[in-house]
Amino acid sequence: MSEKRATREAYGEALVELGHEYPNIVVLEADLAKSTTTIKFKKEFPERFFDCGVAEQNMMAMAAGLATTGKVCYTGSFAIFATGRAFEQVRNTISYPKLNVKICPTHAGITVGPDGASHQTVEDIALMRVIPGMMVIVPADFYEAKKAIKVAVEVEGPVFIRLGRAAVPTIFDDSYNFVPGKAVRLREGQDVSILATGIMVGAGLKSAEDLGRQGISAEVVNVSTIKPLDEETILSSVEKTGKVVVAEEHSIIGGLGSAVAELLCEKHPVPVARVGIKDQFGRSGEPAELLKHYGLTSEDISQAARQLTAY
Amino acid sequence: MTAKAIADKRTLVEYLEAKARRLRWDIIKMVGLARSGHPGGSLSAADIVTTLFFHEMKHKPENKNWPDRDRFVLSKGHAAPVLYAALAESGYFPREDLWTLRKIDSHLQGHPDMRKTPGVEISTGSLGMGFSTAVGMALGLRLDGRNSRVYTLIGDGESQEGIIWEAAMFAAQHKLDNLVGILDYNNMQIDGLVSEIVDIQPVVAKWPAFGWHVIEINGHKVEQILDALDEARSIKGKPTMIVANTIKGKCVSFMERVVDFHGKAPTDEEVDKALAEIEALGPLG
């Protein structure tokens, strides 16, 4: 049994390490410091931590103002509020002027669990991806999340990093080297490319093992940076396999599935199956139950791969 | 001659009044040439913006990134013409640039863009947000121990935005006394009178209720603007809101209190008439 950790846990830890290294880092929170784990930064650097209360729009616009004075702002909250309620602040005050604000919300996707649909974003990747110049990162596990949060400080301009609430199996370790904009081939295969992001990377690896036993050789690529998309790595995999399953804990509209389909339609048309949430809202339940209900298990990926390879 | 060098208040007021006429002349000219834009709310804010740029604020147009400068945030970003006129007159860019307002390839966008226009501190235009960014700036400057001040101009229609009040509470909570808001209270928004659409009254009571020091003035009396800014400087432990009662379209007879001139450019004929009216008021600074 491998270690299980939520990607949100990486947020507080990474912020504390960044806080020691960079005196100009400021963290803004919207009344969720315990849930998002920014409380760790608050304890270490109270003078650079500001709780904005339940006011996400003001938090985002203030982050932009702080950035004009040379601060690097990390802003949190839950993904639904950071990308939904405060969308236009992110668009107009942060992204349009290309300010140095890192948007790292937690509780993305349906694995929020029992809180239900009001708190489960299935649209956040789409919302952030469509903003000109926004970098969009969806880490696969705790270790990738921590590296991404730390590397983001060196990226000039806005970065969105999607974090989750549920503890999920780790894939990497402390030695993992995250490079923004670079997709990573985790497993070589010949018959089908599984392009996965976020917690679906683990499911993709499991699926590839299962498929291997069934005589299907699946390649697994971790597409943690959804924008800018690593076209080279994706195309080199797809040119070899000729078939693609995309897997994400997000709506099949507007997320990685869309990004990959857009790329392949233009550059290398091949059959694509999208494993994701099929234009629905979430519901209450335990994360594992929800992943099963919405068709986001390794078996769902395997089934999609089998259908594609049966052509 | 700079405003700082003028010791005598009466001379200073006359100097600033002449500058305000220059700004108004430029506003009419540039909006007329652009054939679109927002003259009404630019004219109502002209005396306030003039007093800030040519007396109150410390800034160096020749070194626009001077870290210790005071900041101005035009939260009511549609009044961009008054900001552009003040920036050109201060020397941030050549005055001829004003005549390219809103044209393709111009650095003067319909609403302020910090990445295109020298001297614009942050991009604004979507109402309410500039005010909130100004709170962030005031916080950042205080974190750095700078004694720079942040001035932000908001609109009355803009005050219907919820984020204004989110930011107001945060600024009071953190005792940001390096922050001064100025409300350009001309009681007009696109669809009509603010008082008839969603009234912001009693606005002079609202700001103290949100923890701010409030000063009410006539926003066209330079002397009152000067006094209010002095008073704001003396207030410690809380931010200040100056509620400036103004007239939309001020100084152009056929634009004054006319809602339509919120977002409509004057015709060529109207431009000539308006410029003549402004020139008749006195010398341009």
Side-chain angles (χ1 to χ4, degrees), chain B residues 79-96:
Chain B
V82 69
L83 172 59
Y84 296 158
L87 291 172
E89 185 64 19
S90 299
Y92 284 92
F93 51 81
R95 188 150 166 269
E96 308 87 81

Side-chain angles (χ1 to χ4, degrees), chain A residues 25 43 54 62 67 72 74 77 88 143 150 152 156 216 228:
Chain A
I25 279 182
K43 283 182 179 150
V54 190
M62 282 206 316
V72 179
Y74 278 77
S77 188
E88 207 212 325
Y143 294 100
K150 292 187 73 176
E156 193 64 33
I216 297 170

Side-chain angles (χ1 to χ4, degrees), chain B residues 142-155:
Chain B
R142 192 174 71 181
L143 275 173
D144 286 343
R146 299 187 194 282
N147 63 5
S148 307
R149 294 170 69 73
V150 179
Y151 299 89
T152 179
L153 186 71
I154 65 172

Side-chain angles (χ1 to χ4, degrees), chain A residues 26 28 47-66 68-71 85 88-89 92-93 96-100 156, chain B residues 69 71 109 111-116 121-124 126-127 129-130 132-144 161 163 166-168 170 174:
Chain A
V26 172
L28 299 185
E47 71 289 353
R48 286 192 271 151
F49 175 88
F50 296 96
D51 201 323
C52 304
V54 190
E56 299 80 7
Q57 298 173 56
N58 181 49
M59 175 178 74
M60 290 298 179
M62 282 206 316
L66 276 157
T68 67
T69 67
K71 308 297 176 208
R85 181 187 291 257
E88 207 212 325
Q89 281 76 14
N92 267 330
T93 69
Y96 174 43
K98 301 183 192 71
L99 289 168
N100 231 344
E156 193 64 33
Chain B
R69 71 193 183 279
R71 269 71 164 175
Q109 297 292 295
H111 294 82
D113 181 338
M114 68 180 285
R115 298 296 183 198
K116 289 198 167 75
E121 296 288 354
I122 187 145
S123 306
T124 55
S126 182
L127 294 177
M129 296 185 197
S132 180
T133 64
V135 175
M137 280 181 202
L139 189 64
L141 293 167
R142 192 174 71 181
L143 275 173
D144 286 343
E161 288 281 4
I163 191 174
E166 292 182 8
F170 184 94
H174 291 273

